[in-house]
Amino acid sequence: EDKVVQSPLSLVVHEGDTVTLNCSYEVTNFRSLLWYKQEKKAPTFLFMLTSSGIEKKSGRLSSILDKKELFSILNITATQTGDSAVYLCAVEIDGRDDKIIFGKGTRLHILP
Amino acid sequence: ETGVTQSPTHLIKTRGQQVTLRCSSQSGHNTVSWYQQALGQGPQFIFQYYREEENGRGNFPPRFSGLQFPNYSSELNVNALELDDSALYLCASSLGPGGANYGYTFGSGTRLTVV
């Protein structure tokens, strides 16, 4: 069965800290790995990763994929209270549809 | 601001009733996927519609059904509601069934509570 596992499930840090969120996966036909930020309802897209070892970066956020070890990390440096959210990792399955398997998410809370 | 619109935003139904949720896809998007997100869980794939036909389905019973209209908007219907159907229902549209490459955009969801 395809699965995506995220850790930790929740994390509380102080503003300015750096955090690393983990995502491991086991799927039959991997197409891409996706990271989303979910603050209230609609998940918003952060990164799509398809190749191993190539870091994607957007401001204070960065992510990298290891297709051999089947995991990805999402780093957030110099955290701010606005980074408080649930971060979802998802794997897109290569097939007829766009089926995306999500992890349970990491709930990140940044203390001022 | 998301281009995908879902209605209603909140809904309370009684066990055994039927419900219809609606989704207007982003302009130019012809593919709509529906997800169920229970509290504290990640979204789970229900099914996808492409050009008015079901193009894939997750592990949900037949009482979950859908439609896509010529303007690519979509409906999710759930019959014989159960308490466990209480969740946030998310719709995502894309330019085609070719994956996240095609700009997968989520709506803000419908929060369904079954009592």
Side-chain angles (χ1 to χ4, degrees):
Chain A
E1 184 184 335
D2 296 330
K3 64 180 179 181
V4 176
V5 178
Q6 292 186 247
S7 64
L9 291 181
S10 67
L11 189 56
V12 180
V13 300
H14 286 94
E15 207 167 18
D17 287 351
T18 293
V19 297
T20 298
L21 310 183
N22 304 297
C23 175
S24 63
Y25 62 91
E26 288 180 36
V27 301
T28 46
N29 294 305
F30 175 92
R31 178 190 281 164
S32 67
L33 187 140
L34 308 164
W35 283 97
Y36 287 89
K37 178 181 182 182
Q38 187 175 30
E39 290 178 86
K40 295 261 174 78
K41 288 188 175 179
T44 53
F45 174 79
L46 295 175
F47 297 111
M48 181 173 75
L49 301 149
T50 55
S51 301
S52 272
I54 299 175
E55 186 183 51
K56 293 244 177 150
K57 204 167 166 62
S58 176
R60 296 175 294 102
L61 277 67
S62 64
S63 183
I64 198 160
L65 172 67
D66 185 329
K67 289 169 76 173
K68 184 179 175 187
E69 300 297 330
L70 307 182
F71 79 88
S72 173
I73 60 171
L74 174 69
N75 278 319
I76 309 175
T77 59
T79 51
Q80 302 170 357
T81 54
D83 296 328
S84 295
V86 174
Y87 290 83
L88 294 165
C89 172
V91 171
E92 192 181 12
I93 306 299
D94 193 6
R96 185 175 65 130
D97 55 31
D98 295 336
K99 188 165 145 182
I100 294 179
I101 309 294
F102 282 86
K104 291 185 177 182
T106 293
R107 183 172 295 277
L108 177 63
H109 185 63
I110 310 296
L111 298 170
Chain B
E1 185 179 314
T2 180
V4 178
T5 306
Q6 291 188 243
S7 62
T9 55
H10 295 85
L11 199 53
I12 300 175
K13 287 285 190 178
T14 303
R15 195 169 43 178
Q17 285 188 312
Q18 178 265 342
V19 69
T20 298
L21 310 182
R22 295 179 175 82
C23 171
S24 294
S25 58
Q26 186 165 313
S27 177
H29 286 191
N30 59 16
T31 304
V32 172
S33 302
W34 285 92
Y35 288 82
Q36 180 196 65
Q37 187 175 20
L39 202 60
Q41 304 293 316
Q44 286 201 325
F45 178 74
I46 304 175
F47 43 55
Q48 180 188 82
Y49 278 83
Y50 169 58
R51 292 186 177 175
E52 301 178 59
E53 293 195 1
E54 187 177 287
N55 190 49
R57 189 178 182 94
N59 192 24
F60 279 80
R63 58 189 186 83
F64 284 78
S65 64
L67 279 175
Q68 187 177 34
F69 300 98
N71 67 354
Y72 304 129
S73 65
S74 177
E75 284 182 356
L76 164 65
N77 298 293
V78 187
N79 292 323
L81 283 167
E82 300 176 1
L83 297 178
D84 284 350
D85 296 333
S86 296
L88 178 67
Y89 288 84
L90 293 164
C91 161
S93 73
S94 55
L95 283 167
N101 271 321
Y102 285 78
Y104 212 71
T105 304
F106 281 90
S108 292
T110 294
R111 171 80 61 193
L112 172 65
T113 302
V114 182
V115 296

